[in-house]
Amino acid sequence: MRNKQVIFRDFLAKGAFPKESDMEVTESTIELTSAVAEGSKGVLVKNLYLSCDPYMRGRMRKLTDPAESYIPSFQPGSPVTGLGVARVLESGHPNFKKGDLVWGLTGWEEYSLLPAPETCFKIEHTDVPLSYYTGLLGMPGLTAYGGFIELCSPKKGETVFISAASGAVGQLVGQLAKLFGCYVVGSAGSKEKVDLLKNKLGFDEAFNYKEESNLDAALKRYVPEGIDIYFENVGGKTLDAVLLNMKLHGRIAVCGMISQYNLEQPEGVHNLMQLIAKQVRMEGFNALDYYHLYPKFLEMVLPPTKEGRIVYIEDTVEGLESGPAALVGLFSGRNVGKQVVLVARE
């Protein structure tokens, strides 16, 4: 059987952004009936949706120190790997059977052999769009839940600020905050994204950070009483401005620092003394810390999603060959909402 693949060509230089030419769409073949070796616990899947995520840029660099990342580099000459939604075609694993739908780490290809599928989740709820398992009900959703609910412990009436608020994670953080009765402000990088935050995602206020020459002054306009919880996706100057506007005993959840990824020499943060003066707790985390809470997360997020009280914005491109451009576009803000690649409709 033909198997179209997106192959990673070579490592990026430090500080470089990925280009479409760093990936190559090729074709190989795969024998579907004998791909799973007898006695193995592997699973053969047909990929349906693939997820484009900012962390994938870090995997395009050659990591010499394991402490640089919590996930290994891509291997030149091999398919790009990432999170996706797939259907099981053959299984040697007792937890999965033919026909099951799963989400987890898979290859950027039409068919993937997963030698260790234990990290995949079986999809039990199919009365929501399957693509949601790349975002709202997948890793980005768990990131939002873990950082905001478990780490920040929100209370009704608190003020929440979210940077990169229209992205895969930020849009859910804002809606969870509204469900908890918080006042929610978000920043984004275009008028279209700001309008989405206010008119579709229910944020109380939002602003375009590109139009603000002084972020400290902007925050004093939008959150004059200060910030109780900051969900950090950006770092650098944004974090500096936020620290000046945190309330006493505020909480900051750090799941990403986009501005730091985008600089060869990352910006320093100059207002860390505010952590002490205001007794602010700032903690870094990633979704893997909360995978064990996935059933609890679904209990919270599925009902309001089915009722329409949580909505989720996706930016979907069709065809595996569209994947490289979609991934590259993340780093210029081309996407609006969660970037998804539709590989097959089955």
Side-chain angles (χ1 to χ4, degrees):
M1 174 72 75
R2 183 196 74 169
N3 189 22
K4 192 181 292 182
Q5 300 175 304
V6 176
I7 302 297
F8 177 57
R9 298 183 72 178
D10 204 0
F11 294 118
L12 302 183
K14 186 176 180 181
F17 285 93
K19 306 183 297 295
E20 290 182 52
S21 58
D22 293 318
M23 294 162 274
E24 181 182 14
V25 180
T26 65
E27 281 190 11
S28 65
T29 57
I30 186 168
E31 184 55 62
L32 299 183
T33 56
S34 59
V36 178
E38 190 173 341
S40 83
K41 290 190 175 181
V43 169
L44 177 69
V45 299
K46 178 181 181 179
N47 292 309
L48 306 178
Y49 294 94
L50 296 173
S51 175
C52 297
D53 295 295
Y55 78 88
M56 295 171 75
R57 180 183 171 206
R59 299 191 68 191
M60 292 180 160
R61 290 191 297 116
K62 186 172 186 177
L63 301 176
T64 53
D65 180 357
E68 284 186 79
S69 177
Y70 57 91
I71 192 164
S73 301
F74 294 140
Q75 291 305 306
S78 295
V80 170
T81 58
L83 294 162
V85 174
R87 187 174 291 281
V88 175
L89 299 181
E90 297 292 338
S91 175
H93 198 285
N95 293 350
F96 303 99
K97 66 180 187 301
K98 184 177 180 178
D100 282 348
L101 287 162
V102 298
W103 75 266
L105 203 61
T106 189
W108 275 39
E109 53 193 349
E110 292 175 296
Y111 302 94
S112 293
L113 178 62
L114 310 179
E118 293 85 1
T119 57
C120 290
F121 291 89
K122 190 186 294 187
I123 294 174
E124 307 284 0
H125 303 274
T126 56
D127 50 349
V128 293
L130 283 179
S131 56
Y132 278 11
Y133 290 93
T134 68
L136 172 63
L137 302 176
M139 181 274 287
L142 261 176
T143 303
Y145 169 83
F148 185 65
I149 304 298
E150 297 290 334
L151 199 154
C152 289
S153 304
K155 301 177 187 67
K156 184 177 180 179
E158 290 192 312
T159 297
V160 177
F161 175 56
I162 305 156
S163 56
S166 67
V169 176
Q171 58 175 300
L172 179 57
V173 175
Q175 292 179 88
L176 289 174
K178 290 305 298 178
L179 291 178
F180 270 75
C182 299
Y183 184 81
V184 184
V185 177
S187 65
S190 72
K191 182 182 184 302
E192 180 186 8
K193 292 176 181 179
V194 167
D195 289 345
L196 273 175
L197 293 176
K198 293 198 287 187
N199 301 328
K200 186 151 188 176
L201 298 173
F203 281 56
D204 295 290
E205 277 292 354
F207 63 90
N208 182 349
Y209 70 88
K210 292 178 181 177
E211 295 177 351
E212 302 291 344
S213 59
N214 185 326
L215 284 173
D216 178 33
L219 289 173
K220 284 180 166 55
R221 285 202 315 276
Y222 288 101
V223 284
E225 302 300 316
I227 300 165
D228 293 291
I229 295 174
Y230 173 45
F231 201 93
E232 164 68 294
N233 287 301
V234 176
K237 294 175 183 176
T238 303
L239 179 55
D240 251 348
V242 167
L243 286 169
L244 293 173
N245 290 276
M246 291 298 295
K247 288 184 184 178
L248 189 68
H249 301 136
R251 289 90 75 202
I252 299 176
V254 183
C255 77
M257 288 197 169
I258 296 168
S259 70
Q260 307 303 78
Y261 305 152
N262 295 350
L263 297 171
E264 191 165 339
Q265 188 61 45
E267 294 174 340
V269 177
H270 306 287
N271 294 324
L272 290 175
M273 193 65 192
Q274 296 292 317
L275 295 175
I276 300 168
K278 297 173 181 174
Q279 299 170 52
V280 171
R281 177 166 57 85
M282 182 165 74
E283 186 170 339
F285 73 101
N286 68 63
L288 298 177
D289 300 332
Y290 299 101
Y291 267 32
H292 67 290
L293 296 179
Y294 188 63
K296 185 179 175 184
F297 157 71
L298 286 183
E299 283 177 19
M300 174 175 283
V301 174
L302 265 177
T305 299
K306 292 178 182 180
E307 294 161 10
R309 291 186 295 132
I310 287 179
V311 297
Y312 200 65
I313 311 296
E314 295 180 314
D315 191 331
T316 304
V317 300
E318 190 159 353
L320 192 62
E321 62 280 357
S322 302
L327 179 57
V328 169
L330 280 184
F331 304 102
S332 60
R334 190 190 308 161
N335 59 302
V336 178
K338 169 65 190 165
Q339 185 68 70
V340 181
V341 180
L342 169 60
V343 180
R345 298 183 186 273
E346 296 202 274

mmCIF file of all heavy atoms in Angstrom, residues 276-294:
data_model
loop_
_atom_site.group_PDB
_atom_site.id
_atom_site.type_symbol
_atom_site.label_atom_id
_atom_site.label_comp_id
_atom_site.label_asym_id
_atom_site.label_seq_id
_atom_site.Cartn_x
_atom_site.Cartn_y
_atom_site.Cartn_z
ATOM 1 N N ILE A 276 8.750 38.550 44.823
ATOM 2 C CA ILE A 276 8.960 38.603 46.276
ATOM 3 C C ILE A 276 8.061 39.665 46.901
ATOM 4 O O ILE A 276 7.350 39.405 47.888
ATOM 5 C CB ILE A 276 10.440 38.907 46.582
ATOM 6 C CG1 ILE A 276 11.336 37.808 45.999
ATOM 7 C CG2 ILE A 276 10.667 39.036 48.083
ATOM 8 C CD1 ILE A 276 12.803 38.142 45.983
ATOM 9 N N ALA A 277 8.060 40.854 46.312
ATOM 10 C CA ALA A 277 7.297 41.967 46.891
ATOM 11 C C ALA A 277 5.809 41.635 46.993
ATOM 12 O O ALA A 277 5.150 42.007 47.978
ATOM 13 C CB ALA A 277 7.511 43.222 46.052
ATOM 14 N N LYS A 278 5.283 40.933 45.966
ATOM 15 C CA LYS A 278 3.849 40.634 45.944
ATOM 16 C C LYS A 278 3.538 39.182 46.297
ATOM 17 O O LYS A 278 2.385 38.756 46.217
ATOM 18 C CB LYS A 278 3.276 40.964 44.564
ATOM 19 C CG LYS A 278 3.384 42.456 44.221
ATOM 20 C CD LYS A 278 2.959 42.716 42.789
ATOM 21 C CE LYS A 278 3.091 44.198 42.451
ATOM 22 N NZ LYS A 278 2.817 44.467 41.020
ATOM 23 N N GLN A 279 4.561 38.436 46.677
ATOM 24 C CA GLN A 279 4.404 37.027 47.053
ATOM 25 C C GLN A 279 3.666 36.248 45.954
ATOM 26 O O GLN A 279 2.715 35.512 46.199
ATOM 27 C CB GLN A 279 3.672 36.908 48.390
ATOM 28 C CG GLN A 279 4.433 37.597 49.541
ATOM 29 C CD GLN A 279 3.608 37.689 50.792
ATOM 30 O OE1 GLN A 279 3.071 36.678 51.258
ATOM 31 N NE2 GLN A 279 3.493 38.886 51.357
ATOM 32 N N VAL A 280 4.118 36.462 44.735
ATOM 33 C CA VAL A 280 3.523 35.808 43.565
ATOM 34 C C VAL A 280 4.172 34.440 43.366
ATOM 35 O O VAL A 280 5.392 34.299 43.481
ATOM 36 C CB VAL A 280 3.723 36.679 42.305
ATOM 37 C CG1 VAL A 280 3.306 35.919 41.049
ATOM 38 C CG2 VAL A 280 2.940 37.981 42.431
ATOM 39 N N ARG A 281 3.362 33.449 43.062
ATOM 40 C CA ARG A 281 3.895 32.113 42.761
ATOM 41 C C ARG A 281 3.910 31.912 41.240
ATOM 42 O O ARG A 281 2.879 32.020 40.582
ATOM 43 C CB ARG A 281 3.038 31.027 43.414
ATOM 44 C CG ARG A 281 3.485 29.602 43.082
ATOM 45 C CD ARG A 281 2.835 28.584 43.996
ATOM 46 N NE ARG A 281 1.391 28.651 43.962
ATOM 47 C CZ ARG A 281 0.616 28.041 43.063
ATOM 48 N NH1 ARG A 281 1.167 27.345 42.086
ATOM 49 N NH2 ARG A 281 -0.693 28.133 43.132
ATOM 50 N N MET A 282 5.084 31.622 40.685
ATOM 51 C CA MET A 282 5.236 31.379 39.252
ATOM 52 C C MET A 282 5.791 29.973 39.069
ATOM 53 O O MET A 282 6.813 29.630 39.671
ATOM 54 C CB MET A 282 6.176 32.420 38.624
ATOM 55 C CG MET A 282 6.326 32.250 37.124
ATOM 56 S SD MET A 282 7.059 33.708 36.301
ATOM 57 C CE MET A 282 8.768 33.567 36.810
ATOM 58 N N GLU A 283 5.117 29.177 38.233
ATOM 59 C CA GLU A 283 5.523 27.768 38.087
ATOM 60 C C GLU A 283 5.432 27.342 36.631
ATOM 61 O O GLU A 283 4.435 27.598 35.955
ATOM 62 C CB GLU A 283 4.622 26.878 38.952
ATOM 63 C CG GLU A 283 5.056 25.424 38.983
ATOM 64 C CD GLU A 283 4.293 24.609 40.025
ATOM 65 O OE1 GLU A 283 3.744 25.201 40.971
ATOM 66 O OE2 GLU A 283 4.248 23.376 39.861
ATOM 67 N N GLY A 284 6.474 26.686 36.157
ATOM 68 C CA GLY A 284 6.474 26.114 34.817
ATOM 69 C C GLY A 284 5.935 24.699 34.829
ATOM 70 O O GLY A 284 6.038 23.989 35.836
ATOM 71 N N PHE A 285 5.353 24.279 33.716
ATOM 72 C CA PHE A 285 4.770 22.936 33.645
ATOM 73 C C PHE A 285 4.599 22.556 32.174
ATOM 74 O O PHE A 285 4.728 23.392 31.282
ATOM 75 C CB PHE A 285 3.412 22.900 34.352
ATOM 76 C CG PHE A 285 2.326 23.596 33.574
ATOM 77 C CD1 PHE A 285 1.414 22.878 32.823
ATOM 78 C CD2 PHE A 285 2.231 24.983 33.569
ATOM 79 C CE1 PHE A 285 0.431 23.516 32.079
ATOM 80 C CE2 PHE A 285 1.255 25.630 32.831
ATOM 81 C CZ PHE A 285 0.357 24.894 32.087
ATOM 82 N N ASN A 286 4.298 21.286 31.912
ATOM 83 C CA ASN A 286 3.848 20.880 30.584
ATOM 84 C C ASN A 286 2.740 19.849 30.728
ATOM 85 O O ASN A 286 2.492 19.325 31.824
ATOM 86 C CB ASN A 286 5.005 20.389 29.704
ATOM 87 C CG ASN A 286 5.599 19.084 30.172
ATOM 88 O OD1 ASN A 286 4.920 18.053 30.192
ATOM 89 N ND2 ASN A 286 6.878 19.096 30.539
ATOM 90 N N ALA A 287 2.057 19.577 29.643
ATOM 91 C CA ALA A 287 0.861 18.730 29.687
ATOM 92 C C ALA A 287 1.140 17.337 30.227
ATOM 93 O O ALA A 287 0.258 16.715 30.833
ATOM 94 C CB ALA A 287 0.244 18.635 28.297
ATOM 95 N N LEU A 288 2.359 16.833 30.013
ATOM 96 C CA LEU A 288 2.684 15.478 30.482
ATOM 97 C C LEU A 288 2.487 15.345 31.986
ATOM 98 O O LEU A 288 2.189 14.254 32.484
ATOM 99 C CB LEU A 288 4.130 15.132 30.122
ATOM 100 C CG LEU A 288 4.477 15.101 28.628
ATOM 101 C CD1 LEU A 288 5.966 14.823 28.427
ATOM 102 C CD2 LEU A 288 3.632 14.079 27.892
ATOM 103 N N ASP A 289 2.617 16.466 32.716
ATOM 104 C CA ASP A 289 2.423 16.441 34.168
ATOM 105 C C ASP A 289 0.990 16.054 34.535
ATOM 106 O O ASP A 289 0.729 15.656 35.677
ATOM 107 C CB ASP A 289 2.713 17.825 34.777
ATOM 108 C CG ASP A 289 4.129 18.302 34.524
ATOM 109 O OD1 ASP A 289 5.023 17.443 34.374
ATOM 110 O OD2 ASP A 289 4.351 19.525 34.478
ATOM 111 N N TYR A 290 0.058 16.204 33.589
ATOM 112 C CA TYR A 290 -1.363 16.043 33.908
ATOM 113 C C TYR A 290 -2.043 14.938 33.105
ATOM 114 O O TYR A 290 -3.265 14.799 33.166
ATOM 115 C CB TYR A 290 -2.098 17.383 33.694
ATOM 116 C CG TYR A 290 -1.542 18.461 34.601
ATOM 117 C CD1 TYR A 290 -0.655 19.414 34.122
ATOM 118 C CD2 TYR A 290 -1.862 18.482 35.957
ATOM 119 C CE1 TYR A 290 -0.122 20.383 34.961
ATOM 120 C CE2 TYR A 290 -1.334 19.437 36.805
ATOM 121 C CZ TYR A 290 -0.467 20.381 36.307
ATOM 122 O OH TYR A 290 0.070 21.323 37.146
ATOM 123 N N TYR A 291 -1.268 14.139 32.370
ATOM 124 C CA TYR A 291 -1.875 13.067 31.580
ATOM 125 C C TYR A 291 -2.681 12.105 32.464
ATOM 126 O O TYR A 291 -3.702 11.568 32.022
ATOM 127 C CB TYR A 291 -0.798 12.299 30.806
ATOM 128 C CG TYR A 291 -0.557 12.814 29.397
ATOM 129 C CD1 TYR A 291 -0.707 14.163 29.094
ATOM 130 C CD2 TYR A 291 -0.179 11.960 28.370
ATOM 131 C CE1 TYR A 291 -0.491 14.644 27.808
ATOM 132 C CE2 TYR A 291 0.043 12.432 27.078
ATOM 133 C CZ TYR A 291 -0.118 13.771 26.815
ATOM 134 O OH TYR A 291 0.095 14.237 25.530
ATOM 135 N N HIS A 292 -2.228 11.891 33.686
ATOM 136 C CA HIS A 292 -2.936 10.958 34.573
ATOM 137 C C HIS A 292 -4.307 11.497 34.992
ATOM 138 O O HIS A 292 -5.148 10.742 35.484
ATOM 139 C CB HIS A 292 -2.089 10.659 35.818
ATOM 140 C CG HIS A 292 -1.889 11.832 36.726
ATOM 141 N ND1 HIS A 292 -1.096 12.913 36.382
ATOM 142 C CD2 HIS A 292 -2.393 12.118 37.952
ATOM 143 C CE1 HIS A 292 -1.104 13.806 37.372
ATOM 144 N NE2 HIS A 292 -1.896 13.342 38.319
ATOM 145 N N LEU A 293 -4.546 12.785 34.785
ATOM 146 C CA LEU A 293 -5.830 13.392 35.139
ATOM 147 C C LEU A 293 -6.764 13.506 33.935
ATOM 148 O O LEU A 293 -7.771 14.214 34.000
ATOM 149 C CB LEU A 293 -5.609 14.782 35.755
ATOM 150 C CG LEU A 293 -4.848 14.825 37.081
ATOM 151 C CD1 LEU A 293 -4.696 16.270 37.559
ATOM 152 C CD2 LEU A 293 -5.565 13.995 38.149
ATOM 153 N N TYR A 294 -6.454 12.817 32.843
ATOM 154 C CA TYR A 294 -7.257 12.966 31.630
ATOM 155 C C TYR A 294 -8.743 12.667 31.852
ATOM 156 O O TYR A 294 -9.599 13.441 31.398
ATOM 157 C CB TYR A 294 -6.683 12.085 30.511
ATOM 158 C CG TYR A 294 -7.336 12.338 29.165
ATOM 159 C CD1 TYR A 294 -7.229 13.578 28.538
ATOM 160 C CD2 TYR A 294 -8.074 11.342 28.523
ATOM 161 C CE1 TYR A 294 -7.828 13.828 27.306
ATOM 162 C CE2 TYR A 294 -8.677 11.578 27.293
ATOM 163 C CZ TYR A 294 -8.551 12.823 26.694
ATOM 164 O OH TYR A 294 -9.148 13.069 25.491
#
